[in-house]
Amino acid sequence: MMEMGERFIFLEKSPGPKDAMQDLMNKVESCKKCPLFKSRKNCVFGEGNPRAEIMFVGEAPGREEDAKGRPFVGAAGQLLTRMIEAIGLSRSDVYIANVLKCRPPGNRDPLPEEVDACKEFLFKQIELIKPKVICGLGSHATRTLLETSESISKMRGKVHTCRSRMFVPTYHPAALLRNAGWKRAAWEDLKLVRRLSKDLSDAR
């Protein structure tokens, strides 16, 4: 398993974005723009291929993510890993991040002021990685990136535009663990993400 100090292992093969991404991570780890830095154990910056064609974005780190400094490593993260593998990829092929880089106490929903303080870091990650397709995991990530108040059930199943990139919303893996009936819809969303990525690659 990848340890905290290895979060940027993939950057070693990509000299282009390495310095900029490292600089961004340093800014995130020293950020004090909201009170969450006081209660976190670790900043959860994100991990994966810095040149990924597909980027997954969730809402915030949970308890296990906070403890390990890595995104999506708990039960929901294990499900996300299986979902990624089901479309023929691995976690090292994609990039995974959250809107918030610090865990909200008790895993509560992110507060608007916390999102406002942190979202520019996510926007910069998107700018550096330049994914072809972004998959929003859950309502908080989708509402932040699309600047909408619509529910995830109304947004999913369609292709949207986010920061000049294709955006596909789907249910958060944690929600799928609570409601197995949504898994079929999420699977269709993931297949759409993969198809869009392939189509864009083939068009080059």
Side-chain angles (χ1 to χ4, degrees):
M1 180 174 290
M2 189 163 53
E3 299 297 333
M4 282 182 57
E6 298 175 280
R7 279 179 291 173
F8 280 85
I9 187 170
F10 305 110
L11 291 176
E12 295 301 318
K13 298 180 181 179
S14 304
K18 183 171 74 170
D19 292 341
M21 193 73 87
Q22 182 65 56
D23 181 62
L24 181 61
M25 188 180 79
N26 293 342
K27 290 178 180 177
V28 169
E29 291 186 334
S30 63
C31 177
K32 297 182 180 180
K33 291 195 290 184
C34 83
L36 291 182
F37 80 93
K38 298 177 182 178
S39 58
R40 75 183 186 200
K41 291 182 180 178
N42 287 293
C43 166
V44 183
F45 181 75
E47 69 178 31
N49 185 343
R51 297 186 184 277
E53 296 187 353
I54 299 172
M55 182 173 181
F56 291 90
V57 179
E59 61 182 67
R63 180 176 58 84
E64 292 191 51
E65 289 76 17
D66 180 47
K68 297 179 180 180
R70 298 181 58 211
F72 284 91
V73 292
Q78 293 169 22
L79 176 56
L80 177 61
T81 298
R82 294 196 296 272
M83 292 165 66
I84 293 169
E85 292 171 346
I87 57 172
L89 299 172
S90 69
R91 286 178 66 117
S92 63
D93 294 316
V94 304
Y95 198 92
I96 305 173
N98 284 301
V99 175
L100 296 191
K101 308 307 184 189
C102 300
R103 179 197 180 198
N107 289 357
R108 61 160 170 74
D109 290 343
L111 300 177
E113 55 267 33
E114 293 165 352
V115 172
D116 287 342
C118 210
K119 64 184 180 182
E120 291 301 324
F121 294 130
L122 174 62
F123 295 161
K124 185 63 176 179
Q125 283 178 302
I126 294 171
E127 178 186 325
L128 291 172
I129 296 164
K130 298 179 174 60
K132 290 182 171 64
V133 185
I134 300 171
C135 182
L137 302 171
S139 59
H140 289 286
T142 297
R143 288 171 179 169
T144 297
L145 287 167
L146 296 184
E147 298 182 330
T148 180
S149 60
E150 290 283 357
S151 67
I152 191 68
S153 60
K154 291 184 179 179
M155 299 294 288
R156 62 146 303 274
K158 305 171 186 175
V159 181
H160 305 264
T161 300
C162 169
R163 307 189 78 77
S164 302
R165 304 185 187 283
M166 290 187 177
F167 183 93
V168 178
T170 194
Y171 296 108
H172 194 285
L176 299 179
L177 292 175
R178 297 190 298 267
N179 191 332
W182 292 342
K183 288 185 176 181
R184 172 57 61 181
W187 171 235
E188 294 301 322
D189 296 335
L190 266 289
K191 288 194 294 183
L192 174 59
V193 168
R194 184 61 169 140
R195 184 166 66 251
L196 291 171
S197 174
K198 284 184 175 180
D199 288 348
L200 288 170
S201 294
D202 292 343
R204 288 190 301 181

